[in-house]
Amino acid sequence: LPMVFVDTYLKEAQTDFVATDNRKGAKELVERLIGAGRKRIAYLGSARSLSATDERSEGYSESLQAAGHFDSALVKRNLSGYSGVEEALSELFALQSQPDAVFVESLSYFKPGFKFLATRKIKIPETVAIAGFDKFDSHWLDADYTDANAILRVEQNGEAMGRLAAVRLIEL
């Protein structure tokens, strides 16, 4: 049975797939944060272990380790969609040395994060920079505390990936 995975793949299965280079995208985002002077970069991610999420986590870690800034206390890989975002941020911003940036595995579930930061009058990007994958709804943002244009992101083109996967499936 021919199969083509989209946006993720099974490492143990030999199947075709169409995906973003998640490791490279994560590395580039983190390197941009580091280049902007950010050193305490937190990671918010899913508890699920998928190729995409694992590669994003690896890219994040590799960039910070290379720069000598990796701190495991800033890594929160226990989220389940919206669930857990506020709790993770509460823990991170309770640290004596708070993060100056947050890398989000998927901005599509960061709505409570934007609310958390605005409620505490934490300005983006002045106080904390935000970077991550995927799109988010600009209506989630409080314009007094967030410059939407300053949020660094990798936006995947799901429609194009789907078309490529369909073409490849037909070829099989």
Side-chain angles (χ1 to χ4, degrees), residues 8 46 91 118 164 166:
T8 194
S46 171
E91 291 172 12
L164 286 170

Side-chain angles (χ1 to χ4, degrees), residues 32-45:
R32 284 186 62 192
L33 291 169
I34 293 168
R38 308 298 176 146
K39 295 180 180 172
R40 296 201 39 83
I41 304 170
Y43 183 96
L44 292 185

Side-chain angles (χ1 to χ4, degrees), residues 27 30-31 33-35 38-41 59-71:
K27 286 178 83 165
V30 172
E31 287 166 3
L33 291 169
I34 293 168
R38 308 298 176 146
K39 295 180 180 172
R40 296 201 39 83
I41 304 170
Y60 159 88
S61 298
E62 289 168 8
S63 290
L64 285 172
Q65 287 170 348
H69 300 310
F70 182 78
D71 180 350

Side-chain angles (χ1 to χ4, degrees), residues 1 4 43-44 77 93 99 103 109 116 123 125 132 136 163:
L1 179 68
V4 177
Y43 183 96
L44 292 185
R77 278 203 77 182
F93 283 91
F103 177 93
Y109 61 71
F116 173 93
K123 290 191 171 196
F136 61 92
R163 276 194 306 273

Side-chain angles (χ1 to χ4, degrees), residues 43-56:
Y43 183 96
L44 292 185
S46 171
R48 295 175 298 159
S49 183
L50 302 170
S51 60
T53 58
D54 290 347
E55 290 170 3
R56 291 173 190 179

Side-chain angles (χ1 to χ4, degrees), residues 36 47 73 145:
Y145 298 100

